[in-house]
Amino acid sequence: MSKTQIYATSAEAVADIPDGATILCGGFGGAGYPSNLISALAARRVSKLTMVANNAGHKALFDYGGVRKVVCSYPLGPTSKGFLEVLDRGEAELELEPQGTLVERIRTGGAGLGGFLTQVGMGTELAAGKQTVGVDGQEYLICKPIRAEFALVKAQKADRYGNLIYRHAARNFNAVMAMAAPVVIVEVSEIVDGYLDPDTVHTPGAFIDRLVKAE
Amino acid sequence: MSIWSDEEIAHRIAQDVDESWLVNVGIGMPQIAVEPLNQRGIMLHSENGIIGLGPSPAPGREDPEVIDAGKGFATVVDGGSFIDSATSFMLIRGGRLGLALMGAYEVSVNGDLANWRLSGRKIAGIGGAADLAFGAARVWIVTSLFSNDGKSKLVHSCSHPLTAPGVVKRIYTEHGIFEPAGDSFRVVSLPEGMSAEELFEKGVPISIEALSPR
């Protein structure tokens, strides 16, 4: 038996995400972005969300003021339209992290660790608010793990056991986020008959709670 | 006075790269080096998850799931691979990247790099710039020597927020190639007919040796 449940629609797959939830959202720009799941959230007008993603490209959520906080590495560019207006109006907060630090904070969150140490950002304003610690004569910044209640992920193929294969450069943050929340919801292009070859699986179904075929 | 074209700058960069290096080519002006590096068979890295970045696809062959770090359509060369973001940055911080080519707002005489936020601007994106600047074995800058308002981007001390302190090893510009040397910039090479004195008079803090007769 698999714990992974297959949902008929994106709306049902995100039906229990409450106001105020913290959500990990896969993708780099549009590649690997779970747009059906985000649209389904927007349709419910879920509010006060904290969105953790590489970019701030959640236009469907910004349009009705559904986001309270964005944690990302790059809040500009065509995928981030709408965010700056919300930020300007003081309706949202931004936490900016170097991309590698952001993904590692998510990875350590999923791995059950208390964070990690890095020198990236030391001696710059990117270190603001972070404690430092010395290890073997080297100074490091202490980076806390990121934990979230839900992860929204996009994959290319899945089997009914929840095993996933990503396509090309759409793997990006998805593979890490799929291991970093107690409820992982995956939008896939295809759910195969039978099962995926175990040698080809990128993320094992043991991490995956819900699957829905992209509408 | 002559200056180098983008093609000439790119050619010089490609000549100076060791073919064993994995190279990350940043957004903006560094992109001029993609083609000559591809032609030399040098493996390129894109931090969003590609090892073996190739040239832009032909019209009609674009794939929205094969993009580079600037979110432009890309291709993958033979021998390349796709990786997740955590692996991509392990590779950067872990010392597997021989070179990061990056743009710059300013570089200081001791190699400080400012290339992510202009001072006075409230919001900017850092992306992978800090990770690359801290993690790559070497950081070379590809930029115009002067900003739009005519100021030298090579400075004694950066006025914009730093991406990383003391990391820049070399700067490639249309007016020559320079290296941070502690209290000034060393001139590595100048275009034919370019005078070091003239650059010095325009505010580029190059070393006195470059100004003495050769």
Side-chain angles (χ1 to χ4, degrees), chain A residues 28-29 31 55 73-76 84 87 96-101 103-104 107 118-126 154 167-173 175-176, chain B residues 47-50 63-71 82-86 89-90 93 116-117 122-128 130-131 134 161-165:
Chain A
F28 187 99
N55 301 104
S73 85
Y74 200 81
L76 305 176
L84 297 183
L87 199 64
L96 192 74
E97 279 284 24
Q99 197 174 134
T101 297
V103 74
E104 193 65 13
R107 196 192 71 79
T118 185
Q119 294 184 318
V120 173
M122 283 190 75
T124 79
E125 68 179 54
L126 297 161
K154 163 91 181 287
R167 182 173 174 274
H168 300 345
R171 195 181 315 184
N172 54 58
F173 276 69
V176 178
Chain B
E47 66 268 27
N48 57 309
I50 299 177
D63 183 331
E65 293 186 333
V66 185
I67 58 170
D68 62 21
K71 305 186 182 79
F82 295 111
I83 53 179
D84 67 71
S85 299
F89 284 88
M90 285 178 197
R93 290 185 310 259
W116 74 279
R117 184 170 76 80
K122 206 168 81 180
I123 303 300
I126 182 69
D131 311 271
F134 275 86
L162 296 190
T163 308

